[in-house]
Amino acid sequence: MQALVDVILPVFLVIGFGYLAVWRNWFSDAGVNGLMKFTQNFAIPCLLFSAIAGLDLSASFDLRLVFSFYTGALSGFVLGLFGALVVFKRPIEDAVVIGFCCLFSNSVLLGLPLTERAYGPDALEANFAIIALHSPFCYGVGITVMEVVRAKGQAGPALLGRVLKAMFSNALIVGIVLGLLVNLSGIALPQVMQDGLDLMSRAALPAALFGLGGVLASYRPEGDMRLVIYICLVSLIVHPLITRGLGLMVSLPVEATRSAVLTAAMAPGVNAYIFASMYGRAMRVAATAVLVGTALTILTAWVWLGVLP
């Protein structure tokens, strides 16, 4: 119960405040759109750039961490894709979107604040190691499979260009790549620039959580609820279970295990709906999965915090 009160509820209270503000028309939809553009295109890329630029890559990029988390994520994609095709009889393009919903956990807006509140700021190194690969990996998988499906398996040499263009149109990926370049080059940022980045970074998560609540207020639980529950089951239980099992198998350190499992246990992120919108497929299901999954994370994160050492 203490973890629920001290760690989880403060994060979801900010989300709930954003939801209430938009629902009661205290904050406009246009304001939410502007706030989310600020956080997604500027503040969070600054946070990721600053964190990754200063990350100790040799200590943080543990192959066991990457293997455990991303094997779980890829398993979620496969389960979502084939579950949608075989069990729910959805068209192949819808199935790719549903697989993406099971693949893309909300590693930044939920994973970072929950991990920080549970284990402290020093516990975030493994989170940032996961996040450095998260958007490139997930968009790379989702876009590649969708483009192959749309081309009926004969995408040709233009496929790589389309995948890279779609990925590098994402400000989060740009922030990650620039942070990695600064880290690997050993460039020291001027203090005044670092201070500015720190100011932007401190605004990122609170503003993004409030904005996420506002975005969720515009969603309606209208998709196929059986399919939505299936997505939530894969995202909130199966992915972290696989990550936890593989972490034990490869003797992943406790600190990295906590970050990996808690990140894996997050609901589908808003990027799942963005991906659905890119292709105009399964948009209602994706929106409903983000809404329902985020609400269920209050309980499932509490359980996972109790299970983790």
Side-chain angles (χ1 to χ4, degrees), residues 67-69 71-76 79 237-248 261 304:
F67 168 73
S68 301
F69 180 85
T71 301
L74 195 57
S75 299
L79 287 170
I237 298 175
V238 176
H239 182 185
L241 268 177
I242 293 172
T243 300
R244 173 70 168 143
L246 292 174
L248 289 172
V261 174
W304 282 111

Side-chain angles (χ1 to χ4, degrees), residues 15-281:
I15 296 173
F17 187 35
Y19 189 103
L20 180 66
V22 173
W23 176 51
R24 299 298 298 169
N25 293 318
W26 299 335
F27 199 75
S28 69
D29 289 337
V32 171
N33 290 336
L35 184 61
M36 291 305 286
K37 284 183 180 178
F38 165 71
T39 57
Q40 294 286 333
N41 294 339
F42 300 99
I44 293 176
C46 284
L47 169 67
L48 297 179
F49 169 84
S50 186
I52 291 168
L55 201 62
D56 183 350
L57 296 177
S58 61
S60 301
F61 273 94
D62 188 329
L63 288 178
R64 295 171 296 177
L65 170 69
V66 173
F67 168 73
S68 301
F69 180 85
Y70 284 105
T71 301
L74 195 57
S75 299
F77 179 78
V78 172
L79 287 170
L81 175 66
F82 286 101
L85 279 174
V86 177
V87 179
F88 297 97
K89 311 299 182 185
R90 299 296 292 244
I92 181 66
E93 291 183 10
D94 284 12
V96 176
V97 171
I98 290 157
F100 191 87
C101 291
C102 297
L103 170 71
F104 204 108
S105 53
N106 198 334
S107 59
V108 176
L109 301 191
L110 294 181
L112 281 180
L114 286 176
T115 304
E116 182 176 17
R117 291 195 64 81
Y119 305 116
D122 293 340
L124 294 180
E125 280 204 358
N127 288 67
F128 285 121
I130 290 170
I131 290 167
L133 300 175
H134 197 231
S135 289
F137 177 85
C138 293
Y139 273 105
V141 170
I143 292 169
T144 300
V145 174
M146 182 65 88
E147 292 293 344
V148 169
V149 163
R150 285 159 65 93
K152 302 192 179 345
Q154 299 182 5
L159 173 61
L160 180 60
R162 290 199 296 269
V163 171
L164 292 176
K165 181 180 178 181
M167 287 172 59
F168 284 95
S169 299
N170 187 308
L172 301 181
I173 295 178
V174 173
I176 289 166
V177 171
L178 291 177
L180 285 171
L181 290 175
V182 169
N183 189 308
L184 294 171
S185 66
I187 296 172
L189 296 177
Q191 188 59 45
V192 64
M193 182 180 292
Q194 188 60 58
D195 290 345
L197 286 168
D198 290 343
L199 284 172
M200 289 285 282
S201 299
R202 285 197 290 272
L205 291 180
L209 289 171
F210 182 90
L212 175 61
V215 169
L216 293 177
S218 66
Y219 291 169
R220 298 291 179 268
E222 297 173 334
D224 183 331
M225 287 308 296
R226 289 174 58 245
L227 180 52
V228 168
I229 294 302
Y230 178 76
I231 292 170
C232 292
L233 175 67
V234 174
S235 299
L236 303 179
I237 298 175
V238 176
H239 182 185
L241 268 177
I242 293 172
T243 300
R244 173 70 168 143
L246 292 174
L248 289 172
M249 185 180 77
V250 298
S251 302
L252 187 65
V254 170
E255 294 79 5
T257 297
R258 292 191 297 217
S259 291
V261 174
L262 201 55
T263 302
M266 295 299 99
V270 174
N271 281 283
Y273 179 71
I274 293 172
F275 183 81
S277 301
M278 284 170 57
Y279 292 101
R281 306 294 304 212

